[in-house]
Amino acid sequence: MAEILEALFDRHRKPVPAGSKRLGRPYSNQEVADWCTARGVEMSQTHVWNLRQVSKAVDPRVSHLKAIAEFFGYRPAYFLDADVYWDTEAQLGTLPKSGEGDLAIPTQEAQARVLMRRVDGLTQAGLALIAGVVDQVAEWEKNQNHVRDTPQS
């Protein structure tokens, strides 16, 4: 459990400015605890810290596991069912490749799930603004692909 949580904290980080090559700062135990508590699952940062420690014998509540899974954009069964865990990791492309010790960079699908979590709770106006930005980026990428696919003379 602790290793899985550590991988999630390492994999899913706070956003950085567009175009930045650096990784964002990891979420803190307090941020995870506050998010879960705001959704009705009382949790302290100390409890999150204990869950992340390999040396601690912690028996988490199912409600805590579900809330933490949702924070990171995963189905609650991710922590509760080994088959779901392995299937999810395989789909996300985060299983170690042969000869690698660390987990791979999250796939576009995993990043999209984290983005969906970030917009949770925004007003309709905020969601409409984000939808407009997504439409503009999609149009821009479509035009970029067209230019890139055009043969050079």
Side-chain angles (χ1 to χ4, degrees):
M1 167 62 104
E3 292 91 358
I4 293 170
L5 272 175
E6 281 303 303
L8 291 179
F9 272 86
D10 189 52
R11 192 182 299 161
H12 301 287
R13 295 172 173 254
K14 291 185 167 207
V16 295
S20 176
K21 300 266 187 222
R22 64 182 173 84
L23 285 176
R25 184 177 65 77
Y27 288 97
S28 70
N29 296 333
Q30 188 67 56
E31 289 167 324
V32 173
D34 289 347
W35 189 91
C36 294
T37 298
R39 280 147 185 82
V41 180
E42 193 69 35
M43 196 176 311
S44 70
Q45 70 88 22
T46 304
H47 185 65
V48 175
W49 181 83
N50 284 332
L51 291 172
R52 294 176 69 183
Q53 304 308 305
V54 174
S55 61
K56 297 279 183 186
V58 178
D59 187 15
R61 293 183 191 162
V62 170
S63 61
H64 289 170
L65 295 177
K66 286 180 177 181
I68 292 171
E70 289 171 10
F71 175 87
F72 287 110
Y74 292 79
R75 295 185 342 203
Y78 179 81
F79 286 119
L80 305 171
D81 182 326
D83 290 335
V84 171
Y85 168 81
W86 289 111
D87 288 347
T88 301
E89 292 296 305
Q91 288 173 354
L92 297 177
T94 53
L95 292 175
K97 294 178 179 53
S98 140
E100 291 181 356
D102 296 328
L103 293 176
I105 302 293
T107 63
Q108 186 176 10
E109 180 182 340
Q111 292 171 352
R113 272 195 234 152
V114 172
L115 180 62
M116 291 302 296
R117 181 184 48 74
R118 289 182 188 145
V119 301
D120 182 39
L122 291 180
T123 63
Q124 289 297 322
L127 291 171
L129 181 63
I130 289 174
V133 169
V134 169
D135 290 343
Q136 287 179 347
V137 170
E139 185 64 29
W140 177 80
E141 285 191 348
K142 179 178 153 188
N143 291 335
Q144 291 299 311
N145 287 337
H146 175 71
V147 170
R148 225 180 286 142
D149 294 340
T150 305
Q152 300 292 327
S153 1

